[in-house]
Amino acid sequence: MSTPLERRQALQQDRRVRYERMVEIRALENKVQDLFDEGLVHGTTHLCLGQEAVAVGVAAAARTTDQVTCTYRGHGVALALGLTPVQLLGEILGREAGSIGGIGGSMHLCDPEIGLMPTFAIVGAGIPVAAGAALTAQVRGTDDAAIAVFGDGSTNIGAFHEALNLAAIWKLPVVFVCENNQYGEYSRIDLTTPVDDIACRAESYAIPSAIVDGQDPDAVAEAVSGALDQARGGSGPTLLELKTYRYAGHSRADTAPYRPEGEFERWYEKDPIVNFGRQLVDEGVLGDDGIEEVQAAVDARIDAAVELVLASAPAPVEAMFANVLAP
Amino acid sequence: MPRMRMNQAISAAIADEMRSDPDVIVLGEDIAVAEGPFKTSAGLLDEFGPLRVRDTPISEMGFLGAAVGAAATGLRPVVEIMFVEFLGVALDQLSTEGAKFHYLSGGLVKVPLTVRASVGAGLGFGTQHSQTLESWVVGTPGLKLAVASGPANAYGLMRAAIRDDNPVVVLEPRRLYAQREEVTVGEEGIIALGTARQAVSGDAATVVALGSTVGAATEAAAAASWSADVIDLQSLQPWDKEMVYESVARTGRLVTVEENPLSGGWGADIVAAVASDLFGELKAPPLRITAPDVPVPFGKELEERYMPSSTYVGEQVIELLDTGRVPPPWWQREEITP
Ligand SMILES: Cc1ncc(C[n+]2csc(CCOP(=O)(O)OP(=O)(O)O)c2C)c(N)n1
Ligand SMILES: [Mg+2]
C-alpha cells in the first residue's frame, strides 16, 4: 500500500491519479455515511461530497513542504494531500489506525509529512494559522508557502479579515482558498453575506483575487499554482474563490430541507467527477473502460481499508493522556 | 405541569419572556428559520417575527458585541453561542466590555444580556466542541453564571437570566437537550439566580454537582449504601453558600462532582471556601471528583471515561467515607499517570 507521500507525488504527476483520487474521496465519504447509518461512528461528521475537485486541485498544486490548513469538512483535502483511507477511516472510527491514533475523530486529522496541519473545528481559525506558517517560510528564507482552505461562511469572521490584512502588509507567502459551497450550515450565503462574490473582499486588503471554477480540478490546480508562484516570488498573498457545491447537508443530522428545488440537479450537471472523467476519456488519458476500472480499483481499496480499520483496536484509555504537553 | 425536553423548556422560557417584554430579542447562528441547531428556539420566529428573532452570520464577536450595545441601550438580547468554545472568538465583548459597563459608567449603564451556550462532552463532537469552560466566565466580576441540569431548571434559570439587569451566561449541557421531565412553567417556575437546589437528602456527606454531573451524583446516591445530600448548585456566580454551608455543617464532608479538568475547576472555589470557613466542622478532607487534566478525547469509551460516571462517583464517595482520606482519581489508581 502506498505511503501518504507516495500518494501525493502520484497525484502531482498524473492527472489520471487526480481523477482516481476524486473518485476515492467520493466513495470514502459515501462509506462514512454508510458506517454512520450502521451506527459504527460516534459523534458527527461533515462530508465534502461535490467538492472533490477543490481538494485535488489544491493538493496537485502544493508542494509536500507547503503547509495546508483546512476545516472540519476536511476529509477530501486530507486524502488529496495523501492521507490514506485507513488513516482517515481509522480516525473517524476512533481506532489506533487513525491519523492521530483515534483520539481526534472526523474533525481532527493531521499529517505533518504531507503538510496537513491539525485540522480546525472552529470556523476561521485556520486562516491566520496559515499566515503564520507562511511567516515561518519568510523568516527562514525557504521558498515554501502556505495554503488556507476555508468556507464561504468563514469570511464573515474576524480571523479571516485580520489574517488577510496581516498577510498583505507582510507580503506573506500564503494563498487563501475559499471553498464557496453556497452554504454556511443551514443558511444560504446570500442570507449572511452582502456580496455575491467572496473574491471582492481581497480588494480592501489590496491583494489580488480570482474566481475559479471549483468543479474543475485543472482550473483549481492552475489557479492555485499561479498564486503559489506569486507567493514564493515575494509578491504576497492571493485570495481565490472556488465556486463549488455541498451535495450533502451540513453535517450528518442535516437533510438540507432549505435547499431550493432543482439547485442540486443544476450543480450536478457540473459534477467534477463525471465531467473530468469524460474529459480524460476524450483526451485518451483514460481508456474506454477507464472509468469502470478506476471505480473498481477504488472500491477494492476502500473495502480493504474498512476491513483493516475494523480490525484495528479502539484508542486505549492511555491515549487520552498522551501528548498533552511536549516533553 | 407539562412534560418537556430541555430544548423545549428553553424555547418556552424565551418565548414567555418575549411575550411579557417586547425588548427581548434573540440572536444567533441558524436560530430563526432553522430554530437552532439544537432546537432551542422552536417557534420563536413564527410568533415574534424577524425583527426580534434574527439569524446572524458566523460572526460571534460581531453579534455578541452588538448584543452588548443593544443591552446597554435598552433591549434585553438573548444570544446563542452554539458551542461554548465559540465564545473564545467573542470573549472580549463579554468579559472586558459588557461585564464592565455598569462599573465603568458609575452605575448608570445596565447590560441586561443573556448569553446561552451549549457545553460538555458525551456526544462525540471531539476536542474542540466538548468542554464545559465555566472557567472562562467565573472570576470575572460583573458577570453572572448559571448552569442548567435539566428541563425544569433550564426553564427557570433562563427566565431569571433574561430578567436580570446584568450580563448572565447560561450554560446548557448539550447531552441533556433531549432529556424530559415535568416543568413548572409561568412565574412559579422562575428560579432565582444564586440559589441551589437540594436534589437528594442524606447525612453522611454533601455532594455538590453542577449541570451534567447532577445526574451522575443523584444516580450514585440512589444506588449507594451511603446517604448524602446532593446539591445541584444551579448558579456558580454567585453560588449558594448558605445551602452548601448548612449542609456541610451537618454532614461534615464535602464532595464536588465536576465534568471539567481537575486544574482550575469550579469545585476548587467551593472547596476553598468551605475549608476556610468550616474547617472545624469537617470530618474528612474535601474531595473533588473531576475529569483528568487532558483535552476531551474523541471515542465513545474514552469520552465516557473522561466524564465522572455515577459508578465512579459512588466508589470515590464510599472510599472517602470508609477511610477518611481522599481516594486517588482513577487515572492514578490505574497507574496511567503518576
Ligand atoms: C467560531 C465558530 N462559530 C460557529 C461554528 C459552527 N459552525 C461549524 S461549520 C459552520 C458553517 C461554516 O460555513 P462555511 O465557512 O461556509 O464552511 P462549510 O461548512 O460550508 O464548509 C458553523 C456555523 C464554529 N465551528 N465555529
Ligand atoms: Mg460553505
Side-chain angles (χ1 to χ4, degrees), chain A residues 151-306:
Chain A
D152 44 285
S154 320
T155 69
N156 291 323
I157 208 155
F160 166 80
H161 296 274
E162 297 184 28
L164 262 66
N165 189 63
L166 197 67
I169 58 161
W170 288 347
K171 290 211 178 307
L172 295 175
V174 53
V175 180
F176 298 108
V177 174
C178 176
E179 302 188 81
N180 184 350
N181 64 6
Q182 318 298 324
Y183 287 88
E185 224 159 69
Y186 320 136
S187 296
R188 282 173 54 89
I189 169 124
D190 52 286
L191 299 173
T192 56
T193 309
V195 293
D196 291 333
D197 299 316
I198 300 294
C200 78
R201 295 192 155 175
E203 246 175 77
S204 48
Y205 304 104
I207 64 175
S209 68
I211 295 173
V212 181
D213 177 359
Q215 303 307 76
D216 175 354
D218 286 341
V220 174
E222 193 187 315
V224 176
S225 285
L228 282 169
D229 287 345
Q230 295 289 313
R232 295 189 217 285
S235 305
T238 302
L239 172 63
L240 299 176
E241 177 183 5
L242 277 44
K243 303 275 194 192
T244 180
Y245 192 68
R246 193 189 76 197
Y247 283 1
H250 165 70
S251 62
R252 116 189 126 108
D254 175 26
T255 55
Y258 42 80
R259 200 146 63 183
E261 210 170 311
E263 187 180 74
F264 170 80
E265 288 74 12
R266 275 197 305 285
W267 274 94
Y268 194 74
E269 283 168 22
K270 299 188 225 177
D271 184 71
I273 294 176
V274 172
N275 288 336
F276 194 56
R278 206 175 282 151
Q279 188 187 334
L280 292 191
V281 172
D282 289 348
E283 289 175 21
V285 176
L286 283 176
D288 287 342
D289 300 328
I291 306 268
E292 291 74 24
E293 282 164 22
V294 166
Q295 189 68 54
V298 163
D299 289 345
R301 187 183 311 146
I302 287 176
D303 287 346
V306 172

Side-chain angles (χ1 to χ4, degrees), chain A residues 41-44 91-94 102-108 119-123 153-154 156-158 162 184-187 191-192 252 314-321 324, chain B residues 29-30 34 37 55-61 82 85-86 89 122-129 292-303 305-306 330-331 334 336-337:
Chain A
V41 186
H42 183 47
T44 188
E91 199 52 49
I92 294 172
L93 293 181
I103 57 107
S106 168
M107 300 203 278
H108 298 293
T119 58
F120 296 81
I122 302 297
V123 165
S154 320
N156 291 323
I157 208 155
E162 297 184 28
E185 224 159 69
Y186 320 136
S187 296
L191 299 173
T192 56
R252 116 189 126 108
V317 86
E318 291 77 14
M320 83 165 97
F321 295 86
V324 178
Chain B
E29 290 160 13
D30 287 314
D55 281 328
T56 64
I58 311 170
S59 310
E60 282 82 0
M61 183 178 7
M82 195 187 305
E85 283 85 353
F86 312 163
V89 303
L123 298 179
F125 280 106
T127 303
Q128 296 183 339
H129 283 67
D293 276 337
V294 303
V296 184
F298 172 78
K300 205 167 166 44
E301 294 97 70
L302 268 56
E303 219 183 350
R305 287 307 296 281
Y306 176 88
W330 62 266
W331 52 92
E334 294 175 27
I336 299 171
T337 66

